Amino acid sequence: MDTLNGRVAVITGAGSGLGRELSLLCAKAGMRLALADVDVAGLDTTVSLLPEGTEAFTRQVDVSKPEAVEALCDATYVSYGAAHLVFNNAGVAASGPTWTSTLDDWNWVLGVNLMGVVHGVKSFVPRMLASGEPGHIVNTASLAGLSSVPGSSVYCVSKHGVVTLSECLHHELQAAGGHLGVSVLCPAFFKTGIAESERNRPADLAEANPLGEEYAKFVKAAIEAGRLSAADIARITLEAVQEGRFYILPHGGAVRQVETRMRDILEQRAPTNPLGTA
Ligand SMILES: NC(=O)c1ccc[n+]([C@@H]2O[C@H](COP(=O)([O-])OP(=O)(O)OC[C@H]3O[C@@H](n4cnc5c(N)ncnc54)[C@H](O)[C@@H]3O)[C@@H](O)[C@H]2O)c1
């Protein structure tokens, strides 16, 4: 996209972490904002941090619900008549061995992380295509979408899904004329509220992996140790969008991890453990 000033950004998961930093950065670039989250208080805090004069509306949206995302899209077009930059960013994490992961874990995490992106694409892309205006979709995956991490299979499955969905979408958008682009964001750990994802788990999906706590300790420690901040990741992401880059891997070490996995596959050897644990 040539310019962001005056264009419309839609950001899910805007009430915390990366979504909040993307909101601030887009506002600083002069964009008009549609901010969505399940966490209304978090959205209010984000709005309180926006530069004065920013045009923004907030909406409580559970991205796992198609009708809620469709209503967000309707509200965006009613308010602004357009959507140019759509960040399908809301996400949650669950930990623990695959065989003790509950169906509630699977339904919750896949519902938010994967189906949330599906709903964002289904609602926004047809209208963005029809408008003929330039636009871009940014799907937040993770390095966990390009690797296989013990104790994180539910999360990894959701993020691998986001990566391949984005790759397919890229090809399709090219064939559809190329005025819409897509990027997939694959960061390693950085400090946000993701380790406290349980705060957003719905009551009807309450049964968590009984061994999750043990694994979650590792995730919390890795997040605390993250070298890049959420603001860094937001800045790198927006730069990549402006360059029209598809894969966004903000952490340098990630490249080696991905390369090792690819070599394992091509040489048909057992997968290397990315954590280096037994
Ligand atoms: N922090 C990391 O280390 C890391 C690494 C790789 C990828 N990611 C991804 O980055 C994205 C942003 O997460 P974050 O790290 O900023 O965490 P975060 O917890 O700070 O923010 C996630 C936001 O999503 C919202 N959310 C949760 N469930 C929702 C739902 N059903 N509908 C709408 N909103 C919902 C939360 O309320 C929260 O505001 C996620 O997709 C996450 O998987 C994070």
Side-chain angles (χ1 to χ4, degrees):
M1 241 182 302
D2 47 355
T3 176
L4 300 179
N5 190 24
R7 304 239 195 235
V8 176
V10 181
I11 302 168
T12 69
S16 176
L18 178 59
R20 175 171 294 158
E21 296 300 333
L22 287 168
S23 306
L24 300 185
L25 218 54
C26 288
K28 280 184 195 145
M31 299 191 81
R32 295 174 284 163
L33 308 181
L35 306 180
D37 206 297
V38 278
D39 177 1
V40 173
L43 285 173
D44 289 345
T45 304
T46 300
V47 168
S48 74
L49 299 170
L50 296 175
E52 213 171 308
T54 303
E55 253 189 273
F57 76 82
T58 61
R59 193 176 176 101
Q60 187 175 31
V61 174
D62 177 348
V63 296
S64 71
K65 307 272 188 258
E67 63 281 2
V69 179
E70 186 66 17
L72 169 67
C73 185
D74 287 342
T76 305
Y77 276 82
V78 166
S79 297
Y80 302 131
H84 300 105
L85 196 44
V86 176
F87 293 93
N88 291 310
N89 168 73
V92 293
S95 302
T98 309
W99 58 89
T100 53
S101 295
T102 65
L103 288 181
D104 282 0
D105 289 334
W106 285 104
N107 286 323
W108 175 45
V109 175
L110 290 180
V112 178
N113 294 6
L114 179 57
M115 294 313 292
V117 175
V118 170
H119 299 148
V121 169
K122 270 189 79 61
S123 288
F124 282 94
V125 169
R127 289 197 227 186
M128 291 168 78
L129 275 175
S131 77
E133 291 187 41
H136 205 89
I137 317 290
V138 181
N139 295 328
T140 303
S142 167
L143 183 55
L146 298 168
S147 59
S148 300
V149 186
S152 292
S153 69
V154 179
Y155 187 72
C156 286
V157 167
S158 73
K159 296 300 189 178
H160 277 251
V162 172
V163 171
T164 186
L165 179 154
S166 305
E167 290 171 343
C168 295
L169 180 63
H170 168 79
H171 301 313
E172 294 156 4
L173 291 176
Q174 290 293 303
H179 70 275
L180 294 190
V182 55
S183 298
V184 66
L185 172 61
C186 301
F189 294 113
F190 59 99
K191 215 166 157 184
T192 64
I194 195 81
E196 284 83 45
S197 288
E198 291 288 327
R199 72 193 189 281
N200 287 312
R201 190 192 272 258
D204 60 344
L205 297 174
E207 194 194 345
N209 192 324
L211 301 180
E213 283 288 314
E214 197 50 40
Y215 283 79
K217 276 187 209 154
F218 159 78
V219 176
K220 279 189 183 145
I223 283 172
E224 283 302 316
R227 282 180 305 104
L228 296 181
S229 67
D232 293 328
I233 305 290
R235 178 181 42 77
I236 292 165
T237 302
L238 217 58
E239 283 167 5
V241 167
Q242 288 181 288
E243 287 165 17
R245 190 140 41 85
F246 177 82
Y247 293 107
I248 312 175
L249 278 70
H251 294 85
V255 175
R256 283 197 304 280
Q257 197 168 308
V258 175
E259 187 177 8
T260 302
R261 175 167 181 263
M262 292 303 163
R263 290 206 179 283
D264 289 342
I265 294 169
L266 294 174
E267 293 174 24
Q268 300 185 52
R269 60 193 187 202
T272 303
N273 182 340
L275 304 181
T277 52

